[in-house]
Amino acid sequence: MKKRRWLAVLLTAVCTVGVLYLAQRLLTPKYQKGIVEGSMVAEYYDETVEHDVVFIGDCEVYENFSPITLWEDYGISSYIRGSAQQLTWQSYYLLEDTLRYETPDVVVFNVLALKYDEPQSEAYNRMTIDGMRWSRSKVEDILASMTDEEHFIEYVFPLLRYHDRWSELNKTDVQHWFSKDPVTHAGYYMRVDVQPELGFPDPMPLADYTLGEKAMGYLQRMADLCREKGVALILIKAPTEYPHWYDEWDEQVAAFAEENGVPYINYIPLQDDIGLDMATDTYDGGLHLNNQGAEKMAAYFGAYLKENYDLPDRRGEPEYDAVWQEKIDAYEAMKRQQYDELAQYGELVSFGANAIEE
Amino acid sequence: MLFTSYAFVGFLALVLLAYYLVPGRFQWPLLLLASYAFYFAASPYYLLFILVTTASAWAVCVKMEDLTGAQKAYLADHKDLDREEKKAYREKIKKRKRAYLIAALALNLGILAVTKYTNFVLRSVSSLVGGAFQPVDLIVPMGISFYTFQTVGYVIDVYRGKQQAQRSFFKLALFVGFFPQLVQGPISRYGQLSETLYAPHKFQEKTFSFGLMRILWGYFKKVVLADRILTGVTALVQGGQYAGAYVFVAMLFYAFELYCDFTGGIDITIGIGEAMGIRMAENFDLPYFSKNIKEYWNRWHITMGTWFTDYIFYPLSASRPMLRLSKWSRAHLGQKMGKRVPVYLCSLAVWLATGIWHGAAWNFVAWGLANYVVIMVSQELEPLYERFHARTHLRGKAPYEVFQVVRTVLLMSMIRMFDCYRDVPLTIAMVGSMFTRFDAAIFTDGSLLAIGLDGADYLVLAVGLAVVLGVSLYKRKRGSVREALYAKPAGVYYGAMALLLVCTVVFGAYGVGYDASQFIYNQF
């Protein structure tokens, strides 16, 4: 084979890889508007200061706690590593991943996800895992999370998963081809709108109330990892009442906590103490708290943290002040934008993340 | 391991890499190992079946060849025998060889019949006697129809003395189980495939890249076109609620799907062989350019057609009962008609066998019979056509040829609807509705956007079809597209290959949200 033909092969191969890479960047969902949860996990890597408290879990953490309030009220530098329907093993691997970058004093894990013992949804898997940086934790997370229809290689080359989005590409895909805007505030997902809680259906009796082996196994690994790293673990159940949290589950988590010497706090019966009014503090009928509720929850939880853990007040430390002021500005700006949207449209349109898409 | 699975693509890449890394003499053993790994991945039980087929064919063929050798040696040593004694001896040996042949055929065709047709027979019998059908849970090894026919062909060829027996069990095992052709053919002949299967091959850029391009072309047809249109076909034929003009659409869609699916699969198969320097028989020769059904069947699934001709039609025609029938019919029905009776009967047997080979269901029997009837009628009408052509001078005129091609495609597509619907009465009712309830409004009122295909799908299908048609026309008029591209600067040649790859990756109907679609011919 002549040299020139080899050169042609090489050049074609390089160009093909380049084209496929560009196509992959373009076709992978950007999660910048509407469903923004897919952007959350990756945003952590842009953090420039360390965190004393890290929340790990599903929507019951990233929608129910405002790290801005924790900072403003207590000087606690915190971050929420959460994503939609984040399963227990995904939380474990995100914790492993977090501990590669920093060692917080406290890790808070919300226990709702313990009810799932099997992979649930490909879409949620992707939103949780795609944003993780490659590491052994990510590989193991993928292997533990894949549903039957998924393939490992589709995580390595997301183009194989998202190739068919070519027919639904829009302006956002082009705009954010190579860069993305932050959608959270230290992992917190803001919603300022209000939809009062009007009650929930009666809980269905279950055939078996035992929490699954896989989920509990990963909870144990989480406790062991925290112990090994000298991190205090706190188990919580967020104050929202739906999906129903059964007493039998509560007892099992309480027993686990006692066995492992970690605190477990179920905030459902503490709604009044927290000051939550589910007629005004939720945006979706009581499933999640809105911004007002999340601020109340953070204020209440911050007091508990301060009382029980020796957490430094970082206010006054120039590096932290600068970073958190930037976060506060973004937080307030988004809050204003969301209220403006509510006033203009009667509902949230862009969720304040970006300019309203025409 | 489907051809369209990531696992297969990875497996193939490893096999190709290893194939050119090992010394030439280890290439065929490597392929045997890869083939058995491929089959094992499908199911360890399948290996047992293919081993039984291989072992029986190997033992019988070696034995038959030994008998031939022994016969030659005996006759050479006993030159003093008179003619009658020699004839008697030959007859004795022939009988023994025939016994081995029958044993091998009975065993292998028996396995095929039991695994594939037991439930069909039980279902038919129970529906006849009005009993409840209880299916028997049987293993149907992947590609059993293909490898059984291929092996049976080899055994018959050795029996006939057309082919020397392969005395290496492992080499024969590779012929029977060569992984690219295991699942959907082509049904190779030993004489042809063995020429390149066992030979050492050095890496050659042209051969390798030609193979690679054909593999990509196959994936393009299968993944981008066949699997995309499958959604529409499934929506239109399942349940049988789409009648009238929808049946016409389903008929064209299915014709397109089957073509892209089957030729795509064969392109991948032959391309894999080419990339390793192994030549396999071609299975298609632009079938949708055929001007009549006979020509179509000479161009579609060629290796199956020639197999049925060589191993069923000819032996049946030359069989004693058929010769006797021929004699009788010529005496009683006249020379002209008398000659045709045995041909009709043998053709009927071939088409029944072809139908049942395609699927264990009455639909396929009806499909085979429909093909038979159309071919026989067109043969009978041949003199009429001749007179028509002589008077009108239409033969050879481009518009008339286009008409002939379109007519043949439509006719074949209509017959093929037996594949689609759940039973024969429904097929007849739905095809009938095409003529009685045809409502052309569905082509303009957006109804075709409600069958699981959206505008983007239609765009991909239209462009894809245009590309396939363009390539076919080029091939028909000027020959190999790959040769033409190879003659251009290397950047153009490899650029075309890269474009095919990118288009397949981006526009393919695969992954989450799409059902991993088996090749249609894998089930046979």
Side-chain angles (χ1 to χ4, degrees):
Chain A
M1 196 168 157
K2 287 177 192 166
K3 251 186 187 170
R4 285 181 66 179
R5 286 198 80 84
W6 275 118
L7 196 65
V9 172
L10 193 69
L11 276 175
T12 313
V14 170
C15 290
T16 307
V17 170
V19 168
L20 289 173
Y21 173 73
L22 291 176
Q24 177 165 292
R25 292 294 303 234
L26 180 66
L27 291 166
T28 302
K30 310 300 180 294
Y31 302 114
Q32 290 285 288
K33 294 181 192 298
I35 299 167
V36 297
E37 285 87 335
S39 287
M40 292 177 171
V41 170
E43 279 186 21
Y44 171 75
Y45 304 108
D46 296 331
E47 288 292 291
T48 51
V49 291
E50 296 204 337
H51 308 99
D52 302 313
V53 176
V54 171
F55 293 83
I56 305 264
D58 51 16
C59 52
E60 290 205 343
V61 287
Y62 71 73
E63 297 191 72
N64 290 355
F65 293 85
S66 167
I68 301 298
T69 304
L70 283 175
W71 171 260
E72 286 181 327
D73 292 2
Y74 305 101
I76 294 173
S77 174
S78 66
Y79 197 90
I80 303 171
R81 293 218 76 184
S83 58
Q85 205 185 60
Q86 186 170 297
L87 303 167
T88 308
W89 44 95
Q90 293 170 340
S91 288
Y92 170 78
Y93 289 114
L94 271 182
L95 174 63
E96 258 191 12
D97 182 61
T98 308
L99 295 178
R100 289 168 58 222
Y101 297 93
E102 59 180 331
T103 309
D105 294 329
V106 175
V107 163
V108 183
F109 174 66
N110 184 67
V111 295
L112 179 67
L114 288 171
K115 69 184 202 158
Y116 299 116
D117 204 43
E118 295 292 334
Q120 298 292 309
S121 147
E122 188 266 345
Y124 285 129
N125 281 348
R126 298 300 309 215
M127 285 198 275
T128 302
I129 299 171
D130 275 347
M132 275 177 90
R133 279 189 184 160
W134 280 101
S135 66
R136 205 196 64 197
S137 302
K138 177 163 177 167
V139 171
E140 289 180 9
D141 194 357
I142 294 168
L143 295 175
S145 302
M146 279 194 300
T147 56
D148 290 342
E149 60 181 343
E150 291 179 78
H151 298 92
F152 185 84
I153 196 166
E154 288 174 351
Y155 283 91
V156 182
F157 302 110
L159 177 63
L160 297 174
R161 166 63 187 90
Y162 298 116
H163 63 95
D164 60 347
R165 286 194 67 245
W166 62 269
S167 59
E168 55 192 63
L169 288 176
N170 57 29
K171 210 167 76 180
T172 310
D173 288 297
V174 179
Q175 196 181 340
H176 296 285
W177 198 338
F178 297 104
S179 67
K180 284 171 53 167
D181 295 332
V183 298
T184 73
H185 309 276
Y188 167 66
Y189 170 67
M190 181 189 289
R191 289 288 296 261
V192 301
D193 43 340
V194 178
Q195 190 194 327
E197 181 184 312
L198 298 172
F200 298 112
D202 288 336
M204 296 286 286
L206 303 181
D208 184 5
Y209 291 91
T210 314
L211 292 169
E213 271 181 33
K214 182 174 175 178
M216 290 303 282
Y218 274 98
L219 181 63
Q220 186 63 59
R221 287 177 70 176
M222 217 180 283
D224 294 343
L225 183 61
C226 285
R227 198 174 300 125
E228 184 194 319
K229 296 279 182 184
V231 177
L233 175 67
I234 304 173
L235 303 181
I236 59 155
K237 167 66 192 78
T240 40
E241 293 172 73
Y242 197 85
H244 187 73
W245 181 248
Y246 293 89
D247 291 342
E248 291 83 349
W249 293 349
D250 201 56
E251 286 159 15
Q252 289 167 69
V253 176
F256 173 90
E258 198 180 331
E259 228 170 81
N260 285 273
V262 297
Y264 167 55
I265 309 161
N266 180 350
Y267 284 102
I268 297 172
L270 302 176
Q271 279 187 3
D272 289 342
D273 290 353
I274 299 164
L276 289 174
D277 175 359
M278 296 309 269
T280 57
D281 293 340
T282 167
Y283 74 88
D284 54 3
L287 299 177
H288 307 96
L289 301 180
N290 60 16
N291 181 243
Q292 193 174 286
E295 288 182 353
K296 287 181 188 174
M297 184 66 223
Y300 186 82
F301 188 63
Y304 168 80
L305 287 174
K306 274 287 180 192
E307 201 177 308
N308 293 281
Y309 298 90
D310 187 20
L311 295 173
D313 184 343
R314 303 276 187 192
R315 286 172 294 188
E317 291 183 33
E319 193 192 355
Y320 281 85
D321 278 342
V323 168
W324 280 97
Q325 190 54 52
E326 212 175 293
K327 286 184 195 294
I328 291 166
D329 293 344
Y331 183 80
E332 294 302 333
M334 184 182 277
K335 210 191 268 191
R336 276 196 304 277
Q337 203 176 6
Q338 289 203 0
Y339 280 120
D340 287 349
E341 280 181 21
L342 278 181
Q344 191 179 349
Y345 302 102
E347 59 178 351
L348 293 183
V349 180
S350 73
F351 303 92
N354 298 292
I356 297 165
E357 198 167 39
E358 286 163 16
Chain B
M1 209 180 339
L2 295 175
F3 272 14
T4 48
S5 65
Y6 298 124
F8 181 77
V9 175
F11 168 80
L12 180 60
L14 281 178
V15 171
L16 286 174
L17 185 70
Y19 188 77
Y20 284 112
L21 284 179
V22 300
R25 66 181 188 281
F26 293 128
Q27 284 176 326
W28 76 260
L30 174 84
L31 286 184
L32 176 60
L33 204 67
S35 298
Y36 272 48
F38 173 78
Y39 214 47
F40 184 84
S43 166
Y45 296 111
Y46 293 175
L47 270 184
L48 285 177
F49 285 89
I50 207 165
L51 277 170
V52 167
T53 297
T54 308
S56 61
W58 174 77
V60 160
C61 289
V62 167
K63 193 69 200 169
M64 287 194 299
E65 196 171 68
D66 285 349
L67 282 170
T68 308
Q71 175 184 290
K72 274 186 193 159
Y74 180 84
L75 292 176
D77 290 348
H78 298 78
K79 286 187 177 142
D80 51 331
L81 292 177
D82 63 28
R83 217 175 145 184
E84 283 306 310
E85 284 172 323
K86 281 181 184 171
K87 196 179 166 189
Y89 180 76
R90 281 198 194 100
E91 201 54 42
K92 192 176 120 192
I93 296 293
K94 196 176 175 185
K95 266 188 183 169
R96 286 179 64 188
K97 281 169 66 178
R98 188 177 293 156
Y100 282 115
L101 172 73
I102 290 169
L105 297 190
L107 176 69
N108 289 295
L109 294 175
I111 292 172
L112 177 65
V114 169
T115 53
K116 228 180 131 175
Y117 300 106
T118 300
N119 280 318
F120 170 58
V121 172
L122 289 177
R123 194 186 306 117
S124 303
V125 170
S126 66
S127 71
L128 270 180
V129 298
F133 169 59
Q134 289 291 333
V136 183
D137 194 12
L138 289 167
I139 294 172
V140 184
M142 183 175 71
I144 187 169
S145 303
F146 289 102
Y147 75 70
T148 302
F149 271 37
Q150 185 164 300
T151 310
V152 162
Y154 162 72
V155 175
I156 294 173
D157 283 352
V158 172
Y159 169 77
R160 286 173 177 169
K162 279 185 171 177
Q163 182 62 59
Q164 277 197 329
Q166 172 52 265
R167 302 189 83 83
S168 158
F169 174 81
F170 296 108
K171 282 189 172 177
L172 186 67
L174 177 59
F175 168 71
V176 177
F178 184 39
F179 75 90
Q181 60 169 25
L182 199 54
V183 287
Q184 55 183 348
I187 303 169
S188 296
R189 301 297 175 90
Y190 181 81
Q192 197 253 333
L193 184 62
S194 61
E195 281 175 13
T196 50
L197 185 62
Y198 309 119
H201 298 281
K202 279 191 179 151
F203 179 85
Q204 285 181 321
E205 179 249 349
K206 187 177 177 185
T207 318
F208 185 77
S209 62
F210 265 39
L212 220 53
M213 191 176 262
R214 187 146 182 191
I215 293 170
L216 284 172
W217 181 236
Y219 275 115
F220 176 80
K221 283 197 279 185
K222 166 67 179 163
V223 179
V224 178
L225 303 177
D227 287 354
R228 188 171 293 277
I229 205 165
L230 168 72
T231 315
V233 174
T234 309
L236 288 172
V237 302
Q238 260 181 4
Q241 73 269 34
Y242 285 102
Y246 283 113
V247 180
F248 181 70
V249 175
M251 184 179 93
L252 295 184
F253 278 14
Y254 185 57
F256 184 35
E257 183 207 339
L258 186 65
Y259 176 79
C260 290
D261 186 284
F262 195 15
T263 63
I266 291 294
D267 282 333
I268 295 170
T269 298
I270 295 179
I272 293 170
E274 278 184 345
M276 296 188 285
I278 296 165
R279 275 195 310 279
M280 277 182 263
E282 288 294 341
N283 220 20
F284 295 95
D285 179 19
L286 304 174
Y288 285 171
F289 286 123
S290 305
K291 293 196 278 290
N292 57 59
I293 297 219
K294 199 175 168 193
E295 185 188 351
Y296 169 87
W297 276 111
N298 287 332
R299 290 162 168 261
W300 175 278
H301 208 342
I302 298 167
T303 56
M304 183 202 67
T306 52
W307 194 97
F308 277 110
T309 306
D310 290 350
Y311 299 112
I312 293 188
F313 184 82
Y314 288 143
L316 207 57
S317 305
S319 65
R320 272 189 203 144
M322 209 49 80
L323 291 175
R324 276 202 294 272
L325 175 70
S326 176
K327 203 172 166 188
W328 181 90
S329 59
R330 265 184 288 185
H332 291 83
L333 304 170
Q335 279 295 322
K336 224 173 174 181
M337 185 51 93
K339 261 187 191 171
R340 290 184 206 162
V341 171
V343 176
Y344 288 168
L345 275 178
C346 294
S347 297
L348 178 63
V350 165
W351 280 107
L352 282 175
T354 306
I356 206 78
W357 181 87
H358 275 83
W362 287 106
N363 290 39
F364 289 102
V365 176
W367 170 83
L369 282 176
N371 273 289
Y372 168 71
V373 168
V374 172
I375 289 174
M376 289 302 121
V377 168
S378 82
Q379 267 184 25
E380 282 307 305
L381 293 177
E382 195 59 40
L384 207 68
Y385 289 144
E386 286 300 325
R387 282 206 295 277
F388 173 73
H389 291 144
R391 274 192 195 172
T392 56
H393 306 290
L394 282 170
R395 180 177 276 158
K397 300 258 168 59
Y400 184 65
E401 285 193 348
V402 171
F403 159 75
Q404 286 179 305
V405 166
V406 171
R407 177 198 60 188
T408 306
V409 170
L410 289 178
L411 196 55
M412 281 315 301
S413 305
M414 200 189 301
I415 293 173
R416 215 182 275 124
M417 295 308 280
F418 282 109
D419 293 10
C420 295
Y421 293 103
R422 70 170 177 268
D423 55 34
V424 176
L426 180 64
T427 310
I428 292 169
M430 296 309 282
V431 171
S433 77
M434 231 181 355
F435 300 98
T436 56
R437 293 157 61 191
F438 195 94
D439 179 8
I442 67 158
F443 296 105
T444 51
D445 65 6
S447 302
L448 294 180
L449 291 170
I451 56 168
L453 298 171
D454 58 20
D457 290 317
Y458 283 108
L459 180 67
V460 171
L461 289 170
V463 174
L465 178 62
V467 172
V468 170
L469 187 66
V471 168
S472 302
L473 283 169
Y474 187 94
K475 199 176 162 193
R476 188 166 178 245
K477 297 258 181 204
R478 299 187 189 179
S480 167
V481 178
R482 287 181 297 178
E483 285 288 358
L485 283 169
Y486 194 76
K488 298 209 177 297
V492 175
Y493 174 69
Y494 283 106
M497 208 186 282
L499 184 67
L500 207 50
L501 171 70
V502 172
C503 286
T504 306
V505 169
V506 174
F507 299 113
Y510 65 91
V512 175
Y514 295 98
D515 290 332
S517 176
Q518 181 72 277
F519 282 90
I520 294 172
Y521 265 72
N522 278 26
Q523 62 191 292
F524 300 140

